Amino acid sequence: MNITFNLNGKPVCYAGTGTERLLDVLREGFELTGTKCGCKEGECGACAVILDGRLVNSCLVPTGSLEGRNVVTIEGFSEMPMFKEISEGFQEVSAVQCGYCIPGMVLASATLLEQNADPDEEDIRTALSGNLCRCTGYNAIVKGVGIAADKLGRDRTPREVFPRGNKREEFIFPRTLEQALSLRDQTDLKPCGGATDLLVGEPDPGSFFFLGGIPELRKITTEDGWLRIGSEVTFTEMLESPQTPQILKDAVSGIAAPAIRNMGTIGGNIGNGTAKADTSLIMFALNAMVELSSVDGTRLIPVSEFYRGKNDLAIEDNELITALLIPDEDIGRYMYEKVGGRRALAISRISFAGILKQEDGIVTDMRAAFGAVAPTVLRLPEIEKKLVGRPVSEARDMIPEILDDYSEAMQFTRGRVSAEYRKDVCMNLLGEFLRTRLAA
Amino acid sequence: MNSISQSVPKRDHGEKVSGRAVYTADYPNTDLLTARVLRSTKPHAVIRDVAVPELPEGYFYVDHRDIPARNQVQMGLGDTPVFAVEEVRYIGDPIGLIVGPDPETVDRLLSEVIVKYEELPFINDPHKSDMNFFEYDYGKGDPDQKFQEADLIYEETFHTGAQEQAYLETQGMIAEPDPETGGVIVHGSMQCPFYLVSALEPVLDMEPGQLRVIQDVTGGGFGGKEDYPSVLACQTAVAALKTGKPVRIVLSREEDMTVTSKKHPSETKIRGALKDGKLTALDIDICYDSGAYSTLSMVVLQRGIISAPGVYKCDDIKVHGTAARTNVVPYGAYRGFGGAQVFFAIERFMDHLAEKAGLDPVDFKIANTAVQGDLTSTSGRYHFHVPIPEMTDQVMEAADYRRKQEEYSKPQDGRYRRGIGMSLCFHGDGFTGNGERDLIKAVVRMTKDTDDKAHIFVSSTDMGQGFFTSLPKIASRELEIPVEDIIYEMPDTHKTPDSGPTVASRSTMVVGELIRRASQKLKEEWVPGEEAEVYEHYTHPDFMIPFDISKFNGDAYPTFSWGVYCVEVLIDTLTGLVSLPGVWTSFDVGTPIDLNILTGQMEGGVMQSLGYSSMEQIPYDQSCRIRNNKFSDYLIPTASDYPDIHVMYCPVEYPHGPYGAKGAGELPAVGAPSAYAAAVEQAVGGLFAKIPITAEEVLNAVGRNA
């Protein structure tokens, strides 16, 4: 396929299969070697570039998703507004050591400062959290970004620096859901959303088709008592939408780091099939439905039935995940917790979401979902029901019994942490949830 | 503040911040052949057969049969082969190369090679090793007698894990035939250009004049690019000679993490005696897992056993150390070079000994810290002031340590608990013993040209630590010309004399001083518009007590750099997750040559030390395979993990370093783990004698001590 996109402000054409990594194409095809390769799994940020104004890891961007879009690399940005201030900010504190992470750091800083004129230290650290640096301990870089913000003026009105240009749906094929469903029905091509999972490893050349150009998959809407999140909505778009429930935002804001959140989609996260997917946990807790579409029509299936086991999903070969539907309701009190190996770029080792509703002193709903501890997210409706209908004080007295029930019923798998640790933490978090949320 | 300490813009800032800097992987593919390494998939086996597929025109298979002379990479005991011949000793051991113009075709061909192995028993536990590469004993005084007289004897065993350097740029090397000399030109990511020359000489049977090594812009080293670039240089050079073309190897991240050297895992047993509040005897037994080949384990172990008694005065000691062979990746240099392991052990030991004796750990440590004039572990002298007490005060004040220590030792309830801990360390500056005088014999060269620019010729590399900026500052100061008029290009072994490797925190102290003296000489010969050239040779400090390595007796180091760390933790008792509200440190590295650069070194080193304490670990599976050879699985700290690290200085000028400067690069990466463990221990109780400390271990301690 011929892919035409804008690279550093100039239209370019690339002939390929669509599954090449943008990183390789930039470095080898266009000889733009300022974009560095550190891991090829979206984990280090050395290959970060800016795609339509968003920071992305170019190692996880398939060329087939680029049609009509705007890519800015460090070479392009070094000729643009804001580069000077960022460079000077870094220079004043000698933030550049080995330099290998720096092009990515500069671009991560730029996307922050494009949108936020007055970032505090935490904003800066979050913006840089997907860019690993082994030399500096980050302090100097964080300070350098702060100096750049000073130089640019902390009271300025942020304005767009990076080109956004054309909307993707005008270019990418397929452009309609019908076309996509037909491709799904008639080919072995894999549906590709944000590609942040699919491009880890080496895909077969030309084995994807891209869903990013289908408008109805990219919307969040409310209809008939349901919040409908199209499968191609990215994590960042969920965070930016006022319609997204806070519990979902809490979970999404802890996924990986900005460059991954800018690309990864909810459909991909759910379709990946793992119980470690942070949105999967929330979908379980929210009693969400998965909308599956095919040339034969559309069906809804509860997320708990959609996941049959590890990497075993109730989806037919010709079906696509087209949306997640969440009951549009007040969920009352909730608790969300994630245990990862570090504070960003961390795959969940244990995650927990609890929801507790009470009305007039009576428990009306209790849900507890446990992620990353078993082949699928765990919920035990039989135990949950025990509390429903009871006065809060009585329910509180039942906490030890409930904990025992869960302790007996749940089976944990071992992974990077032991099954025992998973159990201990789950019981601790469940106990904390019940003790703190079950209250007048 | 000495004016030399004032920061100047880093020389490489512009090219790096704009992405223009050219690293090894950035040279275009067009004129290069790509080599990928055929590697052992078994931890220990005899190679029965290597079946290489039929290769298209222009593609090559390279192995030990192509080596012109000796199949031996010069390091350690000489046991590391360029390519394995009959036996492979770890998963990743190189067997051969597939070389050709198209990287994807090379990958495909490599995947089609079939190696038949006859598997042999393998060893994954240094205690079950059939061979110690190195074993040392030393001691002084009469520790047995002191143990008999002791008020209290305490014994504990400590463990530390492996650590991956995790430089962002993976290792890479390019070799090309040099038609001028009939030899090869090798350039790549490296710390020590002349180590590559020494490695290539016996493999290719060539003269140094035929071997030209040039450093490319290097994306971090931290010790990891001290020894392994020699392996890559030999492999690419053999391939370049066979193919007659430039050949490049760039390791993938997984490959780099699987095969390149890392910090030695360790076990240290310490038995100590206390009498009247003083540490009177130490009996220390250290075992480093050396991995499959000896590489740098000898010198790492030497530094480890010399540093093992820590900053403390103790005149009756015995120390035993071994580096044991196993069938895992060869461990080697990691910033700190054997120091981090033993400082964790001795600092934890002193904390626990104080606790047993009912003493305040900080007071106890300060009361036992050596002072100027005291004997070192090897009966050398602390020739200069030991600033540990005032550094400790500085850190305690900044951290509000005393108040917090008292507050956090009271019972804590609620979900989160706090703790605070401190640790002390040193790093002996420069090569151990007489290394600088007998092995390195550093030489520097300076010239001036007709444009009145001065040129520095040293083999010291800048891999991010800033030497390309800080060294010219020294020359500029002496020559009284602007720093912009000092030229210092990428080290090229055909242009620079051997000023030694960029290791051992020696560059500023040793090479910097040589450049200072050379600059003075050059100034004397300075005639505007005319050329001049000067050389300067290393001179051993005359105050040093000669070091006898066979007895571990004398001055192991001319002087020491000192570090004090305070770490505060906040622990989630539901999950065992640890966060750090504050980290405070003080360092004595002599006079700072450039404060920004130095602080960057300190902050980065402390960060590595904290990662080593908490999240960084290398688990092996049953078959000796590293389970987490990826950045998504080997976790290093992100910008969100730790707070702003407070760095303070307490400079004790060293008269033989430039303007009083001494070693700096390794020190910050040596000492934080015990402070981290002490803080966790205060928050949740129990004894923490192993790093990394996992969330699971923290949670278990919460449970046990509830």
Side-chain angles (χ1 to χ4, degrees):
Chain A
M1 65 201 310
N2 280 320
I3 299 140
T4 307
F5 63 102
N6 292 313
L7 178 57
N8 294 327
K10 295 191 188 94
V12 294
C13 190
Y14 175 78
T17 67
T19 41
E20 298 87 1
R21 299 164 190 277
L22 174 58
L23 167 65
D24 297 334
V25 171
L26 290 173
R27 288 179 55 82
E28 284 155 33
F30 295 100
E31 294 185 11
L32 294 171
T33 55
T35 305
K36 303 299 179 195
C37 173
C39 69
K40 286 209 172 180
E41 51 169 348
E43 200 70 23
C44 76
C47 70
V49 298
I50 294 177
L51 178 62
D52 286 334
R54 305 252 198 223
L55 188 75
V56 299
N57 293 318
S58 63
C59 71
L60 298 186
V61 176
T63 51
S65 69
L66 285 174
E67 184 67 35
R69 303 185 73 183
N70 295 280
V71 175
V72 176
T73 69
I74 188 66
E75 289 88 351
F77 179 60
S78 62
E79 308 283 322
M80 289 170 68
M82 261 180 19
F83 173 77
K84 179 171 166 284
E85 288 81 2
I86 293 174
S87 172
E88 287 173 359
F90 279 35
Q91 179 169 300
E92 279 184 26
V93 285
S94 303
V96 176
Q97 290 197 29
C98 90
Y100 207 77
C101 72
I102 289 297
M105 287 288 184
V106 167
L107 294 174
S109 308
T111 49
L112 170 73
L113 294 171
E114 188 196 40
Q115 304 201 358
N116 184 348
D118 185 24
D120 63 17
E121 184 183 334
E122 199 186 328
D123 296 332
I124 297 171
R125 287 186 179 272
T126 302
L128 304 180
S129 63
N131 296 74
L132 295 179
C133 167
R134 191 59 154 172
C135 295
T136 62
Y138 304 102
N139 280 14
I141 295 174
V142 171
K143 287 187 181 116
V145 177
I147 295 169
D150 296 341
K151 286 176 186 284
L152 288 161
R154 286 182 177 266
D155 52 0
R156 78 195 148 92
T157 309
R159 62 179 187 87
E160 281 186 5
V161 171
F162 296 104
R164 268 73 174 173
N166 304 301
K167 291 196 163 58
R168 340 177 200 173
E169 47 263 39
E170 292 172 25
F171 291 92
I172 297 181
F173 183 84
R175 276 155 67 179
T176 66
L177 184 56
E178 288 65 38
Q179 289 169 339
L181 295 176
S182 162
L183 277 175
R184 180 73 168 141
D185 194 57
Q186 285 161 27
T187 70
D188 291 331
L189 298 178
K190 275 188 194 162
C192 178
T196 54
D197 287 327
L198 286 183
L199 233 57
V200 176
E202 295 294 335
D204 291 334
S207 59
F208 297 168
F209 71 100
F210 299 93
L211 299 172
I214 302 165
E216 58 258 56
L217 301 187
R218 307 196 53 235
K219 285 182 189 148
I220 302 179
T221 52
T222 312
E223 51 198 60
D224 305 332
W226 296 90
L227 178 70
R228 184 180 188 281
I229 304 177
S231 57
E232 287 307 291
V233 173
T234 65
F235 299 126
T236 299
E237 286 163 350
M238 279 189 266
L239 288 173
E240 288 172 353
S241 167
Q243 290 171 280
T244 307
Q246 190 57 42
I247 186 173
L248 183 54
K249 285 190 179 181
D250 288 356
V252 168
S253 65
I255 293 175
I260 300 288
R261 294 199 287 270
N262 288 339
M263 291 297 280
T265 62
I266 187 145
N269 203 224
I270 298 296
N272 178 291
T274 167
K276 294 173 183 170
D278 293 316
T279 62
S280 162
L281 173 84
I282 305 301
M283 293 304 141
F284 269 78
L286 294 178
N287 294 330
M289 307 287 277
V290 183
E291 183 190 272
L292 299 169
S293 303
S294 72
V295 288
D296 303 325
T298 294
R299 67 186 175 114
L300 291 175
I301 176 173
V303 71
S304 55
E305 291 170 29
F306 181 67
Y307 283 86
R308 291 190 297 223
K310 188 178 181 184
N311 300 324
D312 179 10
L313 300 174
I315 185 169
E316 300 300 324
D317 284 345
N318 70 341
E319 284 181 319
L320 278 180
I321 302 173
T322 44
L324 274 294
L325 275 70
I326 299 168
D328 187 19
E329 59 178 347
D330 176 14
I331 59 162
R333 297 171 179 174
Y334 74 87
M335 182 169 114
Y336 169 72
E337 300 274 344
K338 166 174 175 166
V339 176
R342 59 185 166 189
R343 292 173 155 249
L345 290 173
I347 296 165
S348 287
R349 290 170 173 176
I350 300 158
S351 59
F352 173 82
I355 287 173
L356 197 116
K357 285 200 262 190
Q358 52 199 56
E359 228 165 86
D360 303 329
I362 308 290
V363 177
T364 57
D365 196 1
M366 194 288 266
R367 308 175 205 165
F370 303 85
V373 298
T376 66
V377 174
L378 289 180
R379 262 188 73 183
L380 300 171
E382 293 307 312
I383 306 176
E384 291 176 359
K385 276 186 214 154
K386 281 186 161 187
L387 289 177
V388 176
R390 304 209 185 247
V392 169
S393 57
E394 192 184 319
R396 280 187 71 86
D397 293 340
M398 288 174 66
I399 291 175
E401 177 192 332
I402 297 287
L403 290 176
D404 283 347
D405 288 349
Y406 273 100
S407 179
E408 220 161 278
M410 294 215 298
Q411 295 292 321
F412 296 85
T413 50
R414 67 180 280 270
R416 288 294 179 257
V417 292
S418 72
E420 295 73 28
Y421 174 68
R422 285 184 158 143
K423 181 169 187 174
D424 290 345
V425 172
C426 285
M427 290 305 127
N428 285 347
L429 293 173
L430 178 66
E432 176 80 1
F433 163 66
L434 292 172
R435 281 188 297 272
T436 55
R437 301 324 192 251
L438 260 179
Chain B
M1 187 175 72
N2 192 312
S3 63
I4 193 88
S5 307
Q6 279 174 7
S7 301
V8 301
K10 284 194 76 185
R11 294 203 151 194
D12 47 359
H13 173 85
E15 63 171 28
K16 285 178 174 173
V17 80
S18 60
R20 294 194 315 272
V22 178
Y23 298 78
T24 308
D26 297 338
Y27 290 88
N29 246 339
T30 24
D31 307 319
L32 287 170
L33 299 183
T34 294
R36 302 256 200 260
V37 187
L38 174 68
R39 299 188 179 282
S40 168
T41 57
K42 306 292 175 197
H44 193 195
V46 172
I47 301 170
R48 282 295 172 219
D49 183 50
V50 179
V52 179
E54 198 176 323
L55 299 174
E57 168 109 28
Y59 290 80
F60 302 85
Y61 176 68
V62 177
D63 71 4
H64 66 93
R65 293 165 297 184
D66 299 301
I67 295 170
R70 207 183 316 161
N71 182 12
Q72 187 185 89
V73 185
Q74 186 175 317
M75 51 189 182
L77 300 171
D79 50 339
T80 307
V82 180
F83 297 112
V85 180
E86 287 180 336
E87 194 179 353
V88 286
R89 299 197 147 272
Y90 75 104
I91 291 177
D93 219 351
I95 298 167
L97 305 176
I98 298 283
V99 185
D102 175 48
E104 279 173 29
T105 307
V106 171
D107 278 339
R108 180 178 57 78
L109 293 168
L110 181 65
S111 71
E112 291 169 6
V113 178
I114 298 166
V115 182
K116 285 208 183 101
Y117 300 98
E118 182 184 319
E119 292 189 48
L120 298 172
F122 59 82
I123 295 158
N124 58 7
D125 175 356
H127 292 298
K128 294 179 185 149
S129 172
D130 55 352
M131 178 186 164
N132 285 327
F133 283 126
F134 307 101
E135 180 163 10
Y136 302 114
D137 277 297
Y138 78 94
K140 60 178 180 174
D142 187 354
D144 293 340
Q145 178 70 26
K146 299 287 180 190
F147 278 111
Q148 279 179 19
E149 297 165 3
D151 297 337
L152 177 67
I153 294 172
Y154 182 66
E155 179 177 321
E156 195 175 355
T157 302
F158 306 91
H159 293 90
T160 62
Q163 187 176 22
E164 161 65 36
Q165 290 85 356
Y167 30 70
L168 264 282
E169 180 214 25
T170 60
Q171 303 222 19
M173 199 65 64
I174 298 170
E176 55 187 81
D178 184 353
E180 256 177 54
T181 64
V184 287
I185 299 171
V186 174
H187 62 102
S189 186
M190 66 183 76
Q191 293 182 216
C192 314
F194 277 97
Y195 277 7
L196 274 63
V197 175
S198 308
L200 290 163
E201 268 186 73
V203 172
L204 305 182
D205 191 21
M206 287 182 181
E207 299 299 317
Q210 295 173 281
L211 302 167
R212 181 174 176 193
V213 177
I214 307 163
Q215 185 209 7
D216 283 334
V217 178
T218 297
F222 318 116
K225 292 174 184 171
E226 176 172 353
D227 63 6
Y228 205 80
S230 296
V231 176
L232 294 177
C234 292
Q235 291 170 347
T236 50
V238 169
L241 290 174
K242 175 166 181 171
T243 62
K245 300 227 166 92
V247 173
R248 171 167 60 191
I249 296 177
V250 173
L251 301 185
S252 71
R253 178 60 62 187
E254 289 83 348
E255 193 177 19
D256 194 306
M257 291 184 116
T258 303
V259 307
T260 65
S261 65
K262 311 177 197 313
K263 189 186 284 175
H264 291 75
S266 76
E267 179 178 288
T268 302
K269 189 162 87 181
I270 305 183
R271 185 164 164 263
L274 187 77
K275 175 87 179 166
D276 300 330
K278 293 279 185 184
L279 180 70
T280 52
L282 283 170
D283 180 354
I284 303 176
D285 194 356
I286 299 165
C287 176
Y288 285 173
D289 182 347
S290 195
Y293 297 108
S294 60
T295 66
L296 289 163
S297 290
M298 177 178 84
V299 262
V300 170
L301 179 65
Q302 287 172 357
R303 188 178 276 273
I305 63 170
I306 290 166
S307 306
V311 303
Y312 306 106
K313 172 183 162 65
C314 187
D315 291 330
D316 299 272
I317 63 174
K318 71 182 159 186
V319 183
H320 174 244
T322 54
R325 183 170 79 173
T326 59
N327 294 107
V328 300
V329 61
Y331 292 105
Y334 189 114
R335 192 178 194 179
F337 213 72
Q341 295 93 327
V342 294
F343 275 99
F344 174 72
I346 189 70
E347 285 299 291
R348 296 275 58 214
F349 176 82
M350 291 296 279
D351 283 339
H352 293 161
L353 178 59
E355 194 182 318
K356 290 273 168 215
L359 301 168
D360 174 83
V362 175
D363 293 344
F364 173 63
K365 286 180 180 181
I366 295 298
N368 282 281
T369 296
V371 299
Q372 186 174 9
D374 279 346
L375 293 179
T376 66
S377 61
T378 55
S379 302
R381 292 259 174 221
Y382 291 106
H383 294 281
F384 304 97
H385 175 60
V386 177
I388 287 283
E390 55 266 39
M391 290 165 70
T392 303
D393 286 342
Q394 196 182 17
V395 169
M396 285 200 298
E397 192 184 328
D400 198 8
Y401 173 82
R402 291 286 187 200
R403 181 189 65 76
K404 289 176 179 170
Q405 215 279 341
E406 195 188 329
E407 189 184 323
Y408 303 159
S409 44
K410 293 173 191 156
Q412 300 181 49
D413 49 21
R415 178 169 175 177
Y416 297 96
R417 289 187 207 160
R418 287 176 184 263
I420 193 162
M422 291 193 61
S423 56
L424 316 175
C425 78
F426 65 61
H427 189 76
D429 292 324
F431 265 70
T432 298
N434 307 318
E436 292 288 346
R437 185 189 67 193
D438 299 344
L439 300 174
I440 306 300
K441 303 174 191 164
V443 183
V444 304
R445 172 179 172 233
M446 287 186 77
T447 62
K448 83 170 281 289
D449 62 24
T450 51
D451 293 332
D452 294 338
K453 309 253 191 226
H455 298 253
I456 287 174
F457 296 96
V458 297
S459 57
S460 305
T461 55
D462 189 327
M463 49 222 155
Q465 89 281 25
F467 207 51
F468 287 166
T469 303
S470 48
L471 191 61
K473 285 179 76 177
I474 294 171
S476 160
R477 155 81 83 109
E478 292 301 326
L479 289 166
E480 296 182 90
I481 62 173
V483 73
E484 296 76 32
D485 290 344
I486 315 280
I487 315 294
Y488 176 5
E489 289 174 342
M490 303 301 291
D492 172 344
T493 59
H494 272 197
K495 293 183 183 167
T496 79
D498 187 354
S499 56
T502 312
V503 302
S505 306
R506 63 182 290 279
S507 296
T508 298
M509 182 177 84
V510 175
V511 182
E513 174 64 7
L514 289 175
I515 285 297
R516 192 186 68 82
R517 293 189 339 229
S519 301
Q520 287 177 336
K521 256 193 202 169
L522 189 63
K523 196 176 181 198
E524 284 167 21
E525 298 185 16
W526 192 277
V527 179
E530 287 185 21
E531 292 182 348
E533 180 181 37
V534 298
Y535 283 87
E536 188 67 29
H537 293 256
Y538 176 75
T539 49
H540 212 51
D542 50 12
F543 64 81
M544 280 183 77
I545 300 166
F547 189 72
D548 179 350
I549 192 79
S550 69
K551 298 194 177 76
F552 283 86
N553 190 276
D555 276 331
Y557 306 100
T559 188
F560 298 82
S561 296
W562 304 90
V564 175
Y565 305 73
C566 178
V567 175
E568 183 176 356
V569 300
L570 180 70
I571 284 173
D572 182 344
T573 57
L574 300 182
T575 61
L577 294 181
V578 179
S579 56
L580 302 187
V583 178
W584 299 266
T585 59
S586 177
F587 298 106
D588 161 32
V589 296
T591 304
I593 293 301
D594 183 296
L595 266 175
N596 274 352
I597 288 176
L598 182 61
T599 301
Q601 286 293 289
M602 298 300 114
E603 290 168 344
V606 172
M607 175 75 82
Q608 291 185 6
S609 198
L610 292 171
Y612 180 50
S613 311
S614 59
M615 66 177 73
E616 297 185 34
Q617 52 184 320
I618 300 184
Y620 288 87
D621 68 11
Q622 295 294 319
S623 58
C624 276
R625 185 182 305 275
I626 292 175
R627 287 176 64 192
N628 58 342
N629 61 353
K630 292 189 231 173
F631 266 175
S632 55
D633 213 349
Y634 181 85
L635 304 186
I636 65 171
T638 70
S640 291
D641 283 289
Y642 297 131
D644 196 27
I645 294 159
H646 299 261
V647 174
M648 297 170 282
Y649 297 105
C650 188
V652 175
E653 292 184 10
Y654 172 55
H656 296 260
Y659 317 110
K662 47 191 182 181
E666 292 171 278
L667 176 71
V670 171
S674 182
Y676 182 90
V680 171
E681 201 167 270
Q682 189 186 29
V684 300
L687 288 184
F688 284 82
K690 170 188 145 306
I691 47 167
I693 297 173
T694 64
E696 185 162 357
E697 287 158 359
V698 173
L699 193 67
N700 288 341
V702 171
R704 271 197 311 273
N705 306 307

